[in-house]
mmCIF file of all heavy atoms in Angstrom:
data_model
loop_
_atom_site.group_PDB
_atom_site.id
_atom_site.type_symbol
_atom_site.label_atom_id
_atom_site.label_comp_id
_atom_site.label_asym_id
_atom_site.label_seq_id
_atom_site.Cartn_x
_atom_site.Cartn_y
_atom_site.Cartn_z
ATOM 1 N N THR A 1 -8.247 -2.908 15.194
ATOM 2 C CA THR A 1 -8.626 -2.681 16.582
ATOM 3 C C THR A 1 -7.606 -3.304 17.532
ATOM 4 O O THR A 1 -6.668 -3.973 17.122
ATOM 5 C CB THR A 1 -10.014 -3.278 16.852
ATOM 6 O OG1 THR A 1 -10.004 -4.673 16.518
ATOM 7 C CG2 THR A 1 -11.078 -2.582 16.026
ATOM 8 N N SER A 2 -7.818 -3.055 18.817
ATOM 9 C CA SER A 2 -7.099 -3.643 19.961
ATOM 10 C C SER A 2 -5.697 -3.102 20.157
ATOM 11 O O SER A 2 -4.910 -3.663 20.911
ATOM 12 C CB SER A 2 -7.057 -5.178 19.875
ATOM 13 O OG SER A 2 -6.012 -5.631 19.033
ATOM 14 N N GLY A 3 -5.364 -2.011 19.482
ATOM 15 C CA GLY A 3 -4.072 -1.386 19.696
ATOM 16 C C GLY A 3 -2.918 -2.013 18.937
ATOM 17 O O GLY A 3 -1.784 -1.537 19.032
ATOM 18 N N GLU A 4 -3.163 -3.085 18.185
ATOM 19 C CA GLU A 4 -2.101 -3.694 17.381
ATOM 20 C C GLU A 4 -1.785 -2.787 16.192
ATOM 21 O O GLU A 4 -2.687 -2.213 15.586
ATOM 22 C CB GLU A 4 -2.530 -5.076 16.882
ATOM 23 C CG GLU A 4 -2.917 -6.056 17.983
ATOM 24 C CD GLU A 4 -1.734 -6.499 18.816
ATOM 25 O OE1 GLU A 4 -0.593 -6.091 18.501
ATOM 26 O OE2 GLU A 4 -1.937 -7.240 19.794
ATOM 27 N N MET A 5 -0.512 -2.680 15.840
ATOM 28 C CA MET A 5 -0.098 -1.778 14.761
ATOM 29 C C MET A 5 0.698 -2.535 13.716
ATOM 30 O O MET A 5 1.872 -2.255 13.462
ATOM 31 C CB MET A 5 0.702 -0.601 15.327
ATOM 32 C CG MET A 5 -0.112 0.277 16.247
ATOM 33 S SD MET A 5 0.788 1.752 16.767
ATOM 34 C CE MET A 5 -0.423 2.512 17.862
ATOM 35 N N ARG A 6 0.076 -3.515 13.125
ATOM 36 C CA ARG A 6 0.703 -4.290 12.058
ATOM 37 C C ARG A 6 -0.388 -4.831 11.141
ATOM 38 O O ARG A 6 -1.550 -4.907 11.518
ATOM 39 C CB ARG A 6 1.541 -5.429 12.632
ATOM 40 C CG ARG A 6 0.764 -6.391 13.520
ATOM 41 C CD ARG A 6 1.650 -7.515 14.054
ATOM 42 N NE ARG A 6 0.878 -8.452 14.853
ATOM 43 C CZ ARG A 6 0.663 -8.337 16.157
ATOM 44 N NH1 ARG A 6 1.168 -7.305 16.819
ATOM 45 N NH2 ARG A 6 -0.053 -9.233 16.810
ATOM 46 N N LEU A 7 0.013 -5.251 9.935
ATOM 47 C CA LEU A 7 -0.946 -5.762 8.952
ATOM 48 C C LEU A 7 -1.295 -7.232 9.168
ATOM 49 O O LEU A 7 -2.360 -7.686 8.758
ATOM 50 C CB LEU A 7 -0.396 -5.573 7.542
ATOM 51 C CG LEU A 7 -0.749 -4.257 6.855
ATOM 52 C CD1 LEU A 7 -0.054 -4.154 5.510
ATOM 53 C CD2 LEU A 7 -2.255 -4.132 6.668
ATOM 54 N N SER A 8 -0.373 -7.992 9.731
ATOM 55 C CA SER A 8 -0.634 -9.408 10.012
ATOM 56 C C SER A 8 -1.091 -10.173 8.768
ATOM 57 O O SER A 8 -2.093 -10.892 8.793
ATOM 58 C CB SER A 8 -1.653 -9.562 11.146
ATOM 59 O OG SER A 8 -1.134 -9.064 12.357
ATOM 60 N N ASN A 9 -0.360 -9.972 7.670
ATOM 61 C CA ASN A 9 -0.597 -10.756 6.454
ATOM 62 C C ASN A 9 -1.973 -10.477 5.834
ATOM 63 O O ASN A 9 -2.598 -11.367 5.265
ATOM 64 C CB ASN A 9 -0.449 -12.257 6.747
ATOM 65 C CG ASN A 9 -0.065 -13.057 5.511
ATOM 66 O OD1 ASN A 9 0.384 -12.520 4.504
ATOM 67 N ND2 ASN A 9 -0.255 -14.359 5.589
ATOM 68 N N PHE A 10 -2.415 -9.236 5.925
ATOM 69 C CA PHE A 10 -3.722 -8.843 5.402
ATOM 70 C C PHE A 10 -3.566 -7.860 4.244
ATOM 71 O O PHE A 10 -3.011 -6.769 4.409
ATOM 72 C CB PHE A 10 -4.541 -8.195 6.523
ATOM 73 C CG PHE A 10 -5.919 -7.735 6.112
ATOM 74 C CD1 PHE A 10 -6.847 -8.626 5.609
ATOM 75 C CD2 PHE A 10 -6.289 -6.407 6.248
ATOM 76 C CE1 PHE A 10 -8.121 -8.209 5.244
ATOM 77 C CE2 PHE A 10 -7.563 -5.976 5.892
ATOM 78 C CZ PHE A 10 -8.470 -6.879 5.389
ATOM 79 N N LEU A 11 -4.000 -8.245 3.057
ATOM 80 C CA LEU A 11 -4.066 -7.362 1.885
ATOM 81 C C LEU A 11 -2.753 -6.616 1.638
ATOM 82 O O LEU A 11 -2.747 -5.407 1.385
ATOM 83 C CB LEU A 11 -5.221 -6.360 2.038
ATOM 84 C CG LEU A 11 -6.633 -6.938 2.135
ATOM 85 C CD1 LEU A 11 -7.650 -5.816 2.304
ATOM 86 C CD2 LEU A 11 -6.982 -7.776 0.920
ATOM 87 N N LEU A 12 -1.645 -7.343 1.683
ATOM 88 C CA LEU A 12 -0.341 -6.702 1.525
ATOM 89 C C LEU A 12 -0.208 -6.015 0.169
ATOM 90 O O LEU A 12 0.325 -4.899 0.078
ATOM 91 C CB LEU A 12 0.770 -7.752 1.694
ATOM 92 C CG LEU A 12 0.847 -8.441 3.052
ATOM 93 C CD1 LEU A 12 1.973 -9.473 3.043
ATOM 94 C CD2 LEU A 12 1.061 -7.431 4.170
ATOM 95 N N TRP A 13 -0.655 -6.649 -0.880
ATOM 96 C CA TRP A 13 -0.575 -6.082 -2.229
ATOM 97 C C TRP A 13 -1.513 -4.889 -2.361
ATOM 98 O O TRP A 13 -1.142 -3.836 -2.877
ATOM 99 C CB TRP A 13 -0.911 -7.160 -3.256
ATOM 100 C CG TRP A 13 -1.056 -6.676 -4.656
ATOM 101 C CD1 TRP A 13 -2.213 -6.283 -5.284
ATOM 102 C CD2 TRP A 13 -0.019 -6.519 -5.633
ATOM 103 N NE1 TRP A 13 -1.966 -5.905 -6.582
ATOM 104 C CE2 TRP A 13 -0.620 -6.039 -6.817
ATOM 105 C CE3 TRP A 13 1.356 -6.746 -5.624
ATOM 106 C CZ2 TRP A 13 0.097 -5.773 -7.972
ATOM 107 C CZ3 TRP A 13 2.084 -6.484 -6.771
ATOM 108 C CH2 TRP A 13 1.457 -6.001 -7.930
ATOM 109 N N GLN A 14 -2.730 -5.054 -1.885
ATOM 110 C CA GLN A 14 -3.774 -4.054 -2.100
ATOM 111 C C GLN A 14 -3.605 -2.814 -1.221
ATOM 112 O O GLN A 14 -4.168 -1.760 -1.517
ATOM 113 C CB GLN A 14 -5.149 -4.683 -1.829
ATOM 114 C CG GLN A 14 -5.498 -5.838 -2.742
ATOM 115 C CD GLN A 14 -4.968 -7.176 -2.236
ATOM 116 O OE1 GLN A 14 -4.123 -7.242 -1.344
ATOM 117 N NE2 GLN A 14 -5.466 -8.262 -2.812
ATOM 118 N N ALA A 15 -2.838 -2.927 -0.143
ATOM 119 C CA ALA A 15 -2.737 -1.834 0.827
ATOM 120 C C ALA A 15 -1.620 -0.847 0.510
ATOM 121 O O ALA A 15 -1.272 -0.022 1.356
ATOM 122 C CB ALA A 15 -2.527 -2.400 2.226
ATOM 123 N N ALA A 16 -1.083 -0.888 -0.707
ATOM 124 C CA ALA A 16 0.076 -0.063 -1.051
ATOM 125 C C ALA A 16 -0.143 1.415 -0.746
ATOM 126 O O ALA A 16 0.770 2.109 -0.284
ATOM 127 C CB ALA A 16 0.425 -0.244 -2.528
ATOM 128 N N TYR A 17 -1.359 1.931 -0.975
ATOM 129 C CA TYR A 17 -1.643 3.339 -0.731
ATOM 130 C C TYR A 17 -2.840 3.534 0.195
ATOM 131 O O TYR A 17 -3.473 4.593 0.200
ATOM 132 C CB TYR A 17 -1.869 4.078 -2.049
ATOM 133 C CG TYR A 17 -0.579 4.390 -2.766
ATOM 134 C CD1 TYR A 17 -0.147 3.609 -3.826
ATOM 135 C CD2 TYR A 17 0.233 5.448 -2.343
ATOM 136 C CE1 TYR A 17 1.058 3.866 -4.472
ATOM 137 C CE2 TYR A 17 1.431 5.718 -2.985
ATOM 138 C CZ TYR A 17 1.838 4.927 -4.046
ATOM 139 O OH TYR A 17 3.034 5.195 -4.674
ATOM 140 N N SER A 18 -3.146 2.522 0.991
ATOM 141 C CA SER A 18 -4.240 2.654 1.947
ATOM 142 C C SER A 18 -3.839 3.545 3.108
ATOM 143 O O SER A 18 -2.669 3.616 3.486
ATOM 144 C CB SER A 18 -4.643 1.274 2.495
ATOM 145 O OG SER A 18 -5.079 0.413 1.471
ATOM 146 N N GLU A 19 -4.815 4.200 3.691
ATOM 147 C CA GLU A 19 -4.624 4.899 4.959
ATOM 148 C C GLU A 19 -4.911 3.921 6.096
ATOM 149 O O GLU A 19 -5.747 3.027 5.958
ATOM 150 C CB GLU A 19 -5.560 6.104 5.061
ATOM 151 C CG GLU A 19 -5.288 7.190 4.042
ATOM 152 C CD GLU A 19 -3.962 7.896 4.274
ATOM 153 O OE1 GLU A 19 -3.583 8.069 5.451
ATOM 154 O OE2 GLU A 19 -3.302 8.257 3.280
ATOM 155 N N PHE A 20 -4.227 4.092 7.218
ATOM 156 C CA PHE A 20 -4.393 3.199 8.355
ATOM 157 C C PHE A 20 -4.891 3.972 9.569
ATOM 158 O O PHE A 20 -4.432 5.086 9.840
ATOM 159 C CB PHE A 20 -3.065 2.518 8.710
ATOM 160 C CG PHE A 20 -2.586 1.548 7.671
ATOM 161 C CD1 PHE A 20 -1.917 1.987 6.541
ATOM 162 C CD2 PHE A 20 -2.824 0.192 7.805
ATOM 163 C CE1 PHE A 20 -1.483 1.112 5.573
ATOM 164 C CE2 PHE A 20 -2.393 -0.697 6.838
ATOM 165 C CZ PHE A 20 -1.728 -0.250 5.726
ATOM 166 N N VAL A 21 -5.828 3.360 10.286
ATOM 167 C CA VAL A 21 -6.267 3.877 11.571
ATOM 168 C C VAL A 21 -6.189 2.729 12.570
ATOM 169 O O VAL A 21 -6.799 1.675 12.361
ATOM 170 C CB VAL A 21 -7.709 4.437 11.511
ATOM 171 C CG1 VAL A 21 -8.216 4.751 12.916
ATOM 172 C CG2 VAL A 21 -7.761 5.686 10.650
ATOM 173 N N PHE A 22 -5.416 2.925 13.619
ATOM 174 C CA PHE A 22 -5.260 1.913 14.659
ATOM 175 C C PHE A 22 -6.025 2.373 15.893
ATOM 176 O O PHE A 22 -5.792 3.475 16.408
ATOM 177 C CB PHE A 22 -3.781 1.709 14.988
ATOM 178 C CG PHE A 22 -2.974 1.249 13.812
ATOM 179 C CD1 PHE A 22 -2.159 2.138 13.118
ATOM 180 C CD2 PHE A 22 -3.024 -0.067 13.378
ATOM 181 C CE1 PHE A 22 -1.409 1.721 12.033
ATOM 182 C CE2 PHE A 22 -2.286 -0.495 12.286
ATOM 183 C CZ PHE A 22 -1.479 0.401 11.607
ATOM 184 N N LEU A 23 -6.950 1.539 16.342
ATOM 185 C CA LEU A 23 -7.807 1.899 17.461
ATOM 186 C C LEU A 23 -7.459 1.082 18.704
ATOM 187 O O LEU A 23 -7.160 -0.113 18.603
ATOM 188 C CB LEU A 23 -9.272 1.662 17.101
ATOM 189 C CG LEU A 23 -9.820 2.439 15.895
ATOM 190 C CD1 LEU A 23 -11.262 2.034 15.629
ATOM 191 C CD2 LEU A 23 -9.720 3.940 16.143
ATOM 192 N N PRO A 24 -7.529 1.680 19.879
ATOM 193 C CA PRO A 24 -7.228 0.931 21.098
ATOM 194 C C PRO A 24 -8.342 -0.017 21.521
ATOM 195 O O PRO A 24 -8.105 -0.970 22.281
ATOM 196 C CB PRO A 24 -7.028 2.035 22.147
ATOM 197 C CG PRO A 24 -7.859 3.180 21.639
ATOM 198 C CD PRO A 24 -7.761 3.113 20.148
ATOM 199 N N CYS A 25 -9.571 0.206 21.052
ATOM 200 C CA CYS A 25 -10.691 -0.614 21.505
ATOM 201 C C CYS A 25 -10.588 -2.032 20.946
ATOM 202 O O CYS A 25 -10.078 -2.256 19.851
ATOM 203 C CB CYS A 25 -12.026 0.019 21.099
ATOM 204 S SG CYS A 25 -12.378 -0.007 19.325
ATOM 205 N N LEU A 26 -11.046 -2.990 21.732
ATOM 206 C CA LEU A 26 -11.105 -4.368 21.285
ATOM 207 C C LEU A 26 -12.300 -4.541 20.352
ATOM 208 O O LEU A 26 -13.294 -3.819 20.454
ATOM 209 C CB LEU A 26 -11.206 -5.310 22.488
ATOM 210 C CG LEU A 26 -10.075 -5.182 23.514
ATOM 211 C CD1 LEU A 26 -10.339 -6.076 24.726
ATOM 212 C CD2 LEU A 26 -8.723 -5.507 22.896
ATOM 213 N N TRP A 27 -12.213 -5.525 19.437
ATOM 214 C CA TRP A 27 -13.236 -5.639 18.399
ATOM 215 C C TRP A 27 -14.664 -5.710 18.932
ATOM 216 O O TRP A 27 -15.566 -5.067 18.377
ATOM 217 C CB TRP A 27 -12.954 -6.824 17.477
ATOM 218 C CG TRP A 27 -14.050 -7.023 16.477
ATOM 219 C CD1 TRP A 27 -14.964 -8.023 16.437
ATOM 220 C CD2 TRP A 27 -14.382 -6.147 15.390
ATOM 221 N NE1 TRP A 27 -15.848 -7.835 15.393
ATOM 222 C CE2 TRP A 27 -15.510 -6.691 14.730
ATOM 223 C CE3 TRP A 27 -13.825 -4.952 14.907
ATOM 224 C CZ2 TRP A 27 -16.089 -6.094 13.630
ATOM 225 C CZ3 TRP A 27 -14.409 -4.346 13.804
ATOM 226 C CH2 TRP A 27 -15.522 -4.920 13.176
ATOM 227 N N PRO A 28 -14.965 -6.460 19.996
ATOM 228 C CA PRO A 28 -16.356 -6.497 20.469
ATOM 229 C C PRO A 28 -16.894 -5.124 20.871
ATOM 230 O O PRO A 28 -18.117 -4.936 20.933
ATOM 231 C CB PRO A 28 -16.293 -7.441 21.677
ATOM 232 C CG PRO A 28 -15.145 -8.348 21.368
ATOM 233 C CD PRO A 28 -14.127 -7.444 20.717
ATOM 234 N N ASP A 29 -16.013 -4.161 21.152
ATOM 235 C CA ASP A 29 -16.436 -2.806 21.509
ATOM 236 C C ASP A 29 -16.460 -1.864 20.306
ATOM 237 O O ASP A 29 -16.766 -0.674 20.468
ATOM 238 C CB ASP A 29 -15.501 -2.228 22.576
ATOM 239 C CG ASP A 29 -15.603 -2.973 23.899
ATOM 240 O OD1 ASP A 29 -16.717 -3.409 24.248
ATOM 241 O OD2 ASP A 29 -14.568 -3.126 24.576
ATOM 242 N N PHE A 30 -16.138 -2.387 19.124
ATOM 243 C CA PHE A 30 -16.143 -1.552 17.918
ATOM 244 C C PHE A 30 -17.593 -1.344 17.484
ATOM 245 O O PHE A 30 -18.253 -2.249 16.984
ATOM 246 C CB PHE A 30 -15.338 -2.222 16.801
ATOM 247 C CG PHE A 30 -15.220 -1.394 15.545
ATOM 248 C CD1 PHE A 30 -14.254 -0.409 15.431
ATOM 249 C CD2 PHE A 30 -16.077 -1.596 14.470
ATOM 250 C CE1 PHE A 30 -14.135 0.355 14.275
ATOM 251 C CE2 PHE A 30 -15.969 -0.845 13.312
ATOM 252 C CZ PHE A 30 -14.995 0.134 13.214
ATOM 253 N N ASP A 31 -18.081 -0.135 17.679
ATOM 254 C CA ASP A 31 -19.470 0.178 17.377
ATOM 255 C C ASP A 31 -19.549 1.296 16.338
ATOM 256 O O ASP A 31 -18.532 1.693 15.757
ATOM 257 C CB ASP A 31 -20.224 0.565 18.652
ATOM 258 C CG ASP A 31 -19.554 1.729 19.404
ATOM 259 O OD1 ASP A 31 -18.645 2.368 18.822
ATOM 260 O OD2 ASP A 31 -19.939 1.990 20.552
#
């Protein structure tokens, strides 16, 4: 969320073939 487009040290090994969706909404608005 929040429009950031990076992994930020999250699940680097496990995300080798993950799909990514980047949302502009801030986390408190994620419903």
Side-chain angles (χ1 to χ4, degrees):
T1 57
S2 83
E4 303 291 357
M5 296 186 182
R6 58 179 182 271
L7 270 176
S8 295
N9 206 16
F10 180 60
L11 298 179
L12 298 178
W13 172 267
Q14 298 86 346
Y17 282 100
S18 300
E19 295 292 325
F20 292 81
V21 171
F22 300 103
L23 300 177
C25 70
L26 303 175
W27 175 251
D29 294 324
F30 183 83
D31 56 12

